[in-house]
Amino acid sequence: MHFELTEEQRLIQDTARRFAAEEIAPTLEQEEARHEFRPDRVARMGALGFFSCALPEELGGSGMGYMESVLMAEQIARISASWRLPFNMQNLGPALTVTKFGTAAQKKKYVPGWVAGTQLGFFAMTESNTGSDVASMKTHAIDKGDHWEVHGSKMWISQAHVGDAGLLYAYTDRSRGNKGMTAFIIEPKNWKGCTARAIETKLGLKCAPTGEFAFDGMKVPKENVLGEPGDGFRICMWQLNQTRIGCAAGALGVAGGALDIAVKYANERTQFGKPISQHQMIQAQIAEMAVEHQAAQMLVYRAAWLKDNGKPNQYETSVAKYAASEAAVHAANECMKIYGSFGFSTEYPAERFYRDAKSLQVVEGTSNIQKIIISGMATGATPNRE
């Protein structure tokens, strides 16, 4: 076993760390207060190669893999969980999925823009009554001969109302169950019959835009079907196993960031004549945070390594996502307690870490869904897949 990062990986990690410190942190609090999303920052991240991982060079890939994506996303999330989201919206979601299942024309048209960060991506699965049970979705598309006509709605879609091109999952033949679901590449800003609006009533992730789609007869060209009609559920499940590692990396970042500021504050804050870091109760809290963070880090890195080596990893990815998400929530909670009253104040970052951490127990499969996946594979009921 080799636990050391390569020199190149350390340089990539440092690039992301410096980007977060120099280009996100200085204005983050003001942007959080305004719920501000900056497309120019996404393009800047793209220019630095943040969205180029696990992709072929002819589509903008850099030769880097999942491990490098995890390392970069982790460093960004140590400063801002909101700004970890573009890794999924650009690279691990749309770009990787179209690269695997798309035609040559689809890849050429869409993937380079997602990689460059100049074309904002998204993937639309969730509906008002469809979350963990993806197969229960109501959105459907009707075959009109030379195009598909989409009706229905999606909600809680990251980058929905700012997105240029992304993935849509809808039924094309409900009689076939989940084998009647189809994946489409859509351009909501360019096509009639699609309305998008922002959702701003969120607990956290204030700088990560979230919205909903309403489809009223949106026409999708036949050439924008991803894979074949009926492949949608299979594609969706494959995609979730890729975006899940991005969430796990984000959780690592949140847990690590909460630990960082908790340690700093504990060393600075004095009570009963000494820094609170010298009191056993505080030491116990910090020890728990540190152990859970390191354990989750090993699990996430292992899942990324399996992906990069083409080995079955669905089990390990779910283990990593579950462990890291729970570690992030616990770390953020302990951080707030260490800060005391200041942890409850919006003037300090502890409360932001707490709010942002909660999303990680929900997105890309809730913690309960991860338990179902993990237990199914642990008991041999379902196989481990790539």
Side-chain angles (χ1 to χ4, degrees):
M1 283 187 176
H2 300 282
F3 292 97
E4 281 290 324
L5 299 178
T6 66
E7 182 63 27
E8 182 181 21
Q9 288 171 336
R10 285 195 292 270
L11 288 171
I12 288 164
Q13 188 181 51
D14 187 58
T15 297
R17 184 185 298 115
R18 284 188 287 106
F19 180 88
E22 296 171 8
E23 302 197 32
I24 297 177
T27 57
L28 181 59
E29 294 310 318
Q30 300 94 306
E31 292 166 6
E32 283 270 325
R34 297 192 295 263
H35 295 204
E36 183 178 354
F37 172 66
R38 291 180 50 184
D40 64 304
R41 184 173 287 153
V42 179
R44 171 69 174 143
M45 293 168 77
L48 289 171
F50 286 8
F51 312 133
S52 65
C53 296
L55 293 167
E57 289 185 14
E58 62 268 22
L59 296 177
S62 59
M64 297 188 291
Y66 286 91
M67 180 64 80
E68 287 78 13
S69 184
V70 162
L71 292 171
M72 291 187 289
E74 178 186 4
Q75 293 305 313
I76 296 298
R78 287 182 93 107
I79 298 298
S80 170
S82 288
W83 282 101
R84 191 277 311 171
L85 265 292
F87 285 88
N88 276 21
M89 299 305 112
Q90 304 297 126
N91 176 209
L92 299 174
L96 284 184
T97 307
V98 172
T99 297
K100 182 170 178 64
F101 297 100
T103 64
Q106 289 171 342
K107 296 174 190 178
K108 182 179 179 181
K109 181 176 181 180
Y110 293 106
V111 174
W114 287 321
V115 174
T118 54
Q119 172 183 263
L120 297 176
F122 58 86
F123 44 91
M125 303 171 192
T126 306
E127 300 179 2
S128 60
N129 199 40
T130 297
S132 297
D133 182 10
V134 175
S136 69
M137 67 175 57
K138 303 296 186 224
T139 298
H140 61 282
I142 304 168
D143 190 343
K144 292 294 185 178
D146 64 342
H147 67 274
W148 293 91
E149 185 178 279
V150 181
H151 297 268
S153 61
K154 300 288 181 180
M155 70 182 306
W156 296 112
I157 309 303
S158 295
Q159 296 191 176
H161 56 292
V162 300
D164 299 304
L167 306 182
L168 168 68
Y169 295 90
Y171 273 105
T172 51
D173 186 353
R174 197 174 297 279
S175 68
R176 298 183 63 209
N178 63 32
K179 288 182 170 40
M181 188 184 297
T182 298
F184 300 91
I185 307 171
I186 66 170
E187 301 175 27
K189 293 179 181 177
N190 296 332
W191 298 346
K192 294 180 180 179
C194 176
T195 304
R197 76 172 187 89
I199 297 174
E200 295 183 343
T201 53
K202 299 189 302 180
L203 175 68
L205 302 178
K206 301 294 189 181
C207 294
T210 306
E212 57 185 325
F213 286 123
F215 303 107
D216 184 16
M218 181 183 73
K219 295 179 180 180
V220 181
K222 283 293 179 74
E223 61 265 26
N224 278 56
V225 171
L226 183 61
E228 298 293 331
D231 285 346
F233 187 79
R234 177 173 66 91
I235 293 173
C236 183
M237 294 301 104
W238 184 89
Q239 185 217 296
L240 284 171
N241 194 46
Q242 316 317 312
T243 52
R244 206 160 272 157
I245 195 73
C247 294
L252 278 185
V254 170
L259 177 59
D260 287 344
I261 65 169
V263 168
K264 184 175 184 295
Y265 183 79
N267 283 331
E268 293 173 350
R269 173 74 166 172
T270 299
Q271 289 288 277
F272 304 103
K274 58 184 178 181
I276 62 173
S277 62
Q278 294 180 23
H279 292 282
Q280 287 185 342
M281 289 292 285
I282 301 297
Q283 291 171 341
Q285 290 174 282
I286 290 172
E288 289 177 5
M289 295 164 71
V291 169
E292 291 178 5
H293 176 250
Q294 287 207 12
Q297 191 174 60
M298 290 296 100
L299 291 170
V300 177
Y301 288 7
R302 176 181 176 224
W305 182 88
L306 289 169
K307 288 179 182 292
D308 283 333
N309 285 274
K311 297 179 182 294
N313 62 78
Q314 189 177 15
Y315 176 77
E316 290 81 3
T317 301
S318 284
V319 167
K321 199 271 183 178
Y322 171 71
S325 298
E326 296 302 311
V329 171
H330 184 230
N333 186 51
E334 295 306 299
C335 177
M336 280 194 73
K337 290 192 286 185
I338 289 170
Y339 266 71
S341 296
F342 291 118
F344 202 65
S345 170
T346 57
E347 294 182 21
Y348 293 84
E351 61 86 29
R352 173 167 53 80
F353 278 107
Y354 184 78
R355 289 185 292 102
D356 289 347
K358 293 301 294 181
S359 71
L360 295 160
Q361 293 176 314
V362 177
V363 293
E364 317 303 322
T366 64
S367 288
N368 282 351
I369 287 294
Q370 303 315 312
K371 290 179 182 179
I372 292 171
I373 294 170
I374 293 163
S375 63
M377 294 183 185
T379 59
T382 53
N384 193 9
R385 300 183 178 91
E386 290 185 27

